[in-house]
Amino acid sequence: MRDVQRGTAICAAALLWSGQAWAQSTTTSAETGAGGGNGQAAGVEEIVVTAQRREQSLQDVPISVNVFSAATLDALGAQSAGDIDTFTPGLTIDDTSVTQPHYAIRGVSSDDFGIGTEPAVGVFLDGVYTGRSGSALIFFNDVDRVEVLKGPQGTLFGRNTSAGAISIITKKPVDAFEGNAQLRFGNYGRKRAEGMVNVPLGDTLALRVNGVYNKRNGYLTDAVTGRDYEREDNWSGRAALRFRPGAGTDILLAYDHDNTHKDGPAAIGIGPLALSQDPEGPFANDTLGGSRESRLLDAFTLTIDQDLGGKLKLTSLSSYRWFKTLNREDEDGTNLAAHHLDTENNERNRSYYQELRLAQSTSAFTWVLGASYFHESATQKTRTIALTDSIDTVLANVAGLPLFTVLDSVGLPVFGIPWVESIDNHADNDSYAAFGDLTWSATPKLNLTVGLRYTRDEKKFSWQVNPYSAPGLTQIGAPGALYNAILGASVFPDTATISVADFYNAVVGTNIIFEAGALNGTRFTRKESFSDVSPRFVIDYHFTPDVMAYASAARGYKAGGYNSVELNSFFKPETVWNFEGGLKSNLFERRLQFNLSAYHYVYRDRQQLSLESISGSGVPQYVTLSGDSRAWGIDLDTRFAIAPGISIGAVAGYIDSVWVSRTEQGVDIDGQPTGEPSFRGVLNAHLDQDLGGGAGGIFADASYSYTSKRRLNDAIRASDAALENSPIYGDMVDFSKLKRLRGSREIVNARIGWRLPGNAFSLSVFAENLFDVRTPRTLNPISAQTLGTPYVRMDRPRFWGVELNGRF
């Protein structure tokens, strides 16, 4: 309740501040973004979005949308979508792993990186669905804007947008020579360079090329080895060729490339075996082969817009995407061989997308008809890497059989040998869709919209659980008599030389982490198909040209699928009905933009990961559990043009999300919170003023974000209790040192700078997370009960630096 009260106070303060500031001003200005020049337009700048697959003013779109312009992204220092969630109520992105990000909108998450599971939040680049999480967290290259669409967007954007969509729109080539360059230098050895050049190639052809290079040293240090963690080294680029042979034809061919290298997310051990139980204390990692992440991506997109006359427009959107990713990370947060556990994920993916749309806008009707096809072929290898030392610990803790300790006691050198278990997956997916959306202007003020999408998904998925691999054990042998003495029975010929691997197979005979019994080493394949019809209904009424109210009902759909690490698993599609009403307004001669919406949704068969104990496995596994949930909430979005070059804004979101039916950790949590924080509020301010006399101008931006504490349920409490009362390791986690893990969070970003007249050059200093709030992002107990090694992953610290911009 205190968090809600505090959030209400933040919003009230913002409204009071803005109201007073507006009342004292007599002129208006456009919101131009940092370094964008002192605009003189009357009121808040109009924002054009494509949230309904056509260009419209944000204030005419009957959807709750948060928009980030290029200037806003620059002011926040945002490199990817993972940098905007703190400043977007209702949006959460866990980007501790760049190749395995987790997205959530309004409390509904996509928290599985496996190729058998679909996301609930669709990420689109220039209208093209990016699909897998491995390529979803792309770096911003020459971006015009980012639109965060809340609630189901299935009718117009398609499958797997049951929670919402993130639409990234890049800048197109134009018929003028222009360019820019940006350099950033900061702490932790941060270096970032970005450049763009746009070149007309005659009257009908234009080329636009953009490139970004980013490098940074680590901000975490291994206390034992002195090695830095969380280093970055990546570059990406985009080239777009635009051909307009006639007034009615627009052809755009774009190529995107990404080459990312960074450390895998560091595991900060907080258990009794770690260097410290404090997440801000010293830590040590010992990932075999080194902790690392990488991604190599190539994508081609061809967009053709053809004017057919009579305001009829045909659009063809074709895309091919290919990427491969590698993720190897520590899973124990120690440097102890007897507790060692790493994981590795390798993925290769290629996809094709084709969409055709026919649209027309007249005084009475605006409509779009379309069809699309999506094909994906993906392979994934998931590996766990242990040592015989840690396998021995698991055997001792789970079965009371420290087998390798026994062998070591009789002189066999069995410790320190890598032990690998893996699952191979392959997916072939096809999705077909037909959709339509019609808006009827029943009166000059009243619009009625109905939309419908039919989707058919066809999936083929395979698993292969491979027998464990420990080649070192096959090279160690001993007389059968020695093993017989250990067993107290005659199992092997006394004089025969028997390898340790054969002895293990005879005594234990199974994998420890991934186990499929008789199906070990055998590929198992399953096929499923799903069909769905998702409608939307909208009514909007314009009381005045600047005040519009709307109400909508929309159904969302997310395809069913498979858990990549659970053999023969299957879960049904999830569906949601979302009911929403809102108000969008420009008031006081467009100086104040005030948007408010309220929503209620009911989710069926909602898919979410849970760490559960699996029979036959020494280490708990992530399994996909289904349940029903419901939520209601309110979103607020305001912007205020105080005076030329001065503006402030406030966005806020409140949500009450609970499970209707759900069992997790063996606990019935029906009617309890889903874990989503109830409130996030963001305040921002922008200043851009000319100094006069040809001295240029100054600009400044500041953003403050407050997120309330996480709402817990009995399943989370049960998991916490297990960490405090382990039958083997006792009280493993000191929760008094983890108050920020689920507590409220406050983040401030700021920037101030100087620019030349005409913005030919600017110089600024910036700070992200100005007050250096060090927050544990996640608590992971995957190896806690068997190895005694719970750990956390930390959020990023304060980054500060200098930025130089040049335009020509």
Side-chain angles (χ1 to χ4, degrees):
M1 179 59 73
R2 288 181 179 177
D3 286 321
V4 176
Q5 292 172 341
R6 184 171 187 178
T8 303
I10 289 173
C11 292
L15 293 172
L16 179 61
W17 175 30
S18 61
Q20 291 173 338
W22 176 85
Q24 294 167 1
S25 69
T26 57
T27 58
T28 59
S29 74
E31 183 182 50
T32 58
N38 191 358
Q40 300 295 328
V44 175
E45 180 186 21
E46 182 181 28
I47 298 176
V48 176
V49 298
T50 52
Q52 295 193 113
R53 293 292 197 177
R54 62 182 185 271
E55 290 189 349
Q56 292 177 280
S57 169
L58 174 65
Q59 296 304 96
D60 291 331
V61 177
I63 299 172
S64 180
V65 186
N66 289 116
V67 182
F68 292 83
S69 67
T72 304
L73 295 173
D74 200 37
L76 292 174
Q79 296 183 160
S80 71
D83 296 318
I84 65 173
D85 72 325
T86 300
F87 301 94
T88 311
L91 174 66
T92 301
I93 302 175
D94 181 355
D95 63 343
T96 51
S97 167
V98 71
T99 61
Q100 298 176 4
H102 299 157
Y103 292 83
I105 291 181
R106 289 178 172 174
V108 180
S109 63
S110 305
D111 54 5
D112 187 0
F113 61 88
I115 62 174
T117 303
E118 305 292 345
V121 177
V123 180
F124 297 81
L125 179 63
D126 290 330
V128 176
Y129 178 57
T130 62
R132 294 291 147 214
S133 64
S135 69
L137 194 71
I138 57 177
F139 294 96
F140 292 148
N141 282 344
D142 203 23
V143 168
D144 181 69
R145 66 186 182 277
V146 177
E147 302 173 11
V148 180
L149 287 66
K150 301 175 183 178
Q153 305 299 322
T155 302
L156 289 171
F157 280 85
R159 59 201 281 274
N160 306 331
T161 57
S162 51
I166 299 173
S167 179
I168 302 169
I169 311 298
T170 63
K171 294 181 179 179
K172 295 181 179 180
V174 295
D175 295 329
F177 179 76
E178 62 181 29
N180 60 57
Q182 182 187 86
L183 294 175
R184 287 181 188 169
F185 302 95
N187 58 335
Y188 302 107
R190 184 178 186 180
K191 304 176 186 68
R192 185 179 187 274
E194 181 174 5
M196 182 280 295
V197 62
N198 186 100
V199 182
L201 303 174
D203 295 334
T204 61
L205 198 62
L207 175 67
R208 191 179 186 96
V209 179
N210 170 268
V212 178
Y213 174 71
N214 180 68
K215 188 172 184 177
R216 189 194 66 213
N217 298 332
Y219 54 79
L220 295 172
T221 302
D222 189 305
V224 175
T225 66
R227 180 185 184 276
D228 284 348
Y229 281 88
E230 300 293 348
R231 298 171 298 174
E232 290 184 353
D233 188 355
N234 52 69
W235 70 273
S236 57
R238 178 178 175 82
L241 187 66
R242 189 177 188 184
F243 180 48
R244 288 180 285 182
T249 305
D250 194 345
I251 301 173
L252 182 67
L253 176 64
Y255 166 65
D256 290 277
H257 177 78
D258 178 84
N259 192 334
T260 293
H261 296 274
K262 67 179 296 291
D263 292 329
I268 312 298
I270 55 170
L273 302 170
L275 294 184
S276 172
Q277 285 190 293
D278 189 335
E280 297 188 31
F283 79 98
N285 281 182
D286 59 352
T287 311
L288 293 183
S291 173
R292 60 193 188 277
E293 280 192 276
S294 65
R295 176 177 60 212
L296 186 63
L297 177 146
D298 291 293
F300 297 88
T301 304
L302 176 64
T303 305
I304 303 174
D305 288 313
Q306 179 64 55
D307 187 349
L308 301 178
K311 296 185 178 181
L312 194 63
K313 182 179 179 180
L314 177 66
T315 299
S316 172
L317 184 61
S318 309
S319 173
Y320 169 77
R321 296 175 65 85
W322 173 90
F323 72 87
K324 66 177 181 179
T325 62
L326 166 68
N327 175 288
R328 177 176 279 203
E329 56 190 53
D330 186 78
E331 298 285 2
D332 60 270
T334 76
N335 63 343
L336 305 175
H339 302 271
H340 182 94
L341 183 65
D342 303 336
T343 59
E344 181 178 284
N345 184 72
N346 288 272
E347 183 179 347
R348 289 177 179 266
N349 184 292
R350 71 175 188 273
S351 63
Y352 309 89
Y353 183 72
Q354 176 62 53
E355 179 177 304
L356 290 173
R357 295 196 305 268
L358 188 64
Q360 187 179 47
S361 181
T362 66
S363 59
F365 296 99
T366 298
W367 57 267
V368 59
L369 289 174
S372 66
Y373 168 68
F374 176 79
H375 171 76
E376 175 187 39
S377 179
T379 60
Q380 181 178 30
K381 179 185 283 290
T382 302
R383 303 202 308 164
T384 58
I385 303 98
L387 294 172
T388 46
D389 311 58
S390 49
I391 294 298
D392 188 71
T393 301
V394 173
L395 288 171
N397 289 340
V398 175
L401 179 64
L403 188 64
F404 295 113
T405 294
V406 174
L407 295 175
D408 178 72
S409 70
V410 296
L412 294 179
V414 294
F415 283 131
I417 296 173
W419 177 289
V420 178
E421 297 185 20
S422 64
I423 294 181
D424 296 341
N425 301 123
H426 182 78
D428 277 306
N429 302 322
D430 293 282
S431 181
Y432 310 84
F435 59 93
D437 197 73
L438 171 68
T439 298
W440 173 39
S441 298
T443 73
K445 294 184 176 182
L446 177 65
N447 296 314
L448 304 175
T449 300
V450 60
L452 191 69
R453 176 179 288 258
Y454 170 78
T455 304
R456 179 171 176 80
D457 287 303
E458 297 177 353
K459 291 192 169 191
K460 180 181 179 182
F461 193 83
S462 66
W463 301 260
Q464 181 173 312
V465 179
N466 301 307
Y468 76 91
S469 173
L473 296 183
T474 64
Q475 301 169 14
I476 303 171
L482 177 64
Y483 298 120
N484 291 336
I486 293 172
L487 296 174
S490 181
V491 177
F492 304 100
D494 286 343
T495 59
T497 299
I498 307 299
S499 72
V500 172
D502 287 338
F503 175 70
Y504 173 87
N505 292 336
V507 176
V508 180
T510 64
N511 290 351
I512 299 300
I513 300 169
F514 299 135
E515 173 56 22
L519 289 178
N520 276 349
T522 301
R523 183 166 295 277
F524 186 88
T525 301
R526 183 165 182 166
K527 295 181 181 180
E528 303 288 344
S529 61
F530 319 98
S531 296
D532 176 77
V533 176
S534 292
R536 79 163 183 149
F537 308 94
V538 186
I539 179 172
D540 64 82
Y541 186 82
H542 291 254
F543 296 97
T544 72
D546 292 327
V547 179
M548 183 262 283
Y550 70 90
S552 67
R555 187 178 188 271
Y557 157 76
K558 171 181 166 181
Y562 318 90
N563 186 334
S564 61
V565 295
E566 186 182 0
L567 187 68
N568 198 28
S569 62
F570 168 72
F571 42 86
K572 298 185 296 183
E574 64 181 33
T575 58
V576 57
W577 269 104
N578 184 79
F579 306 93
E580 188 162 336
L583 175 74
K584 292 193 173 185
S585 61
N586 285 311
L587 306 173
F588 306 112
E589 298 180 345
R590 292 180 171 265
R591 292 183 177 184
L592 168 62
Q593 187 176 93
F594 182 88
N595 298 337
L596 183 69
S597 64
Y599 61 89
H600 170 70
Y601 67 69
V602 179
Y603 238 97
R604 304 295 184 192
D605 297 310
R606 176 175 162 183
Q607 306 153 14
Q608 193 160 319
L609 285 181
S610 178
L611 186 64
E612 303 278 339
S613 297
I614 303 298
S615 177
S617 174
V619 178
Q621 303 290 320
Y622 285 107
V623 299
T624 303
L625 301 179
S626 294
D628 298 339
S629 70
R630 59 175 172 79
W632 71 272
I634 299 173
D635 286 332
L636 168 72
D637 188 349
T638 66
R639 294 190 298 157
F640 310 87
I642 299 172
I646 303 175
S647 63
I648 60 176
V651 291
Y654 172 82
I655 184 172
D656 179 12
S657 175
V658 299
W659 290 109
V660 175
S661 61
R662 170 84 166 182
T663 299
E664 188 176 329
Q665 305 291 328
V667 178
D668 184 343
I669 53 175
D670 294 1
Q672 298 186 30
T674 61
E676 183 73 5
S678 59
F679 178 83
R680 178 176 293 159
V682 179
L683 302 177
N684 57 74
H686 169 66
L687 168 72
D688 190 352
Q689 292 292 297
D690 287 328
L691 297 175
I698 59 171
F699 58 89
D701 293 275
S703 297
Y704 165 79
S705 170
Y706 171 79
T707 304
S708 65
K709 65 182 181 181
R710 186 178 176 187
R711 299 175 64 204
L712 305 184
N713 57 47
D714 287 345
I716 298 173
R717 297 186 184 96
S719 179
D720 290 351
L723 295 176
E724 292 183 299
N725 301 283
S726 169
I728 300 172
Y729 293 100
D731 188 355
M732 283 189 288
V733 177
D734 184 353
F735 280 94
S736 69
K737 296 179 180 179
L738 292 178
K739 292 181 179 179
R740 286 189 178 275
L741 173 67
R742 302 185 185 113
S744 61
R745 184 169 181 256
E746 297 177 78
I747 298 293
V748 174
N749 285 11
R751 185 172 65 159
I752 186 169
W754 167 81
R755 58 175 175 79
L756 283 174
N759 298 306
F761 175 79
S762 67
L763 173 67
S764 61
V765 293
F766 65 87
E768 302 163 22
N769 188 9
L770 177 63
F771 296 105
D772 200 23
V773 178
R774 303 286 182 116
T775 307
R777 175 65 69 93
T778 57
L779 168 62
N780 196 318
I782 186 171
S783 57
Q785 297 300 328
T786 50
L787 294 173
T789 52
Y791 66 85
V792 297
R793 300 205 192 279
M794 297 295 290
D795 214 342
R796 289 182 287 268
R798 173 175 54 223
F799 292 134
W800 57 265
V802 178
E803 178 181 299
L804 296 86
N805 279 283
R807 300 180 184 180
F808 56 89

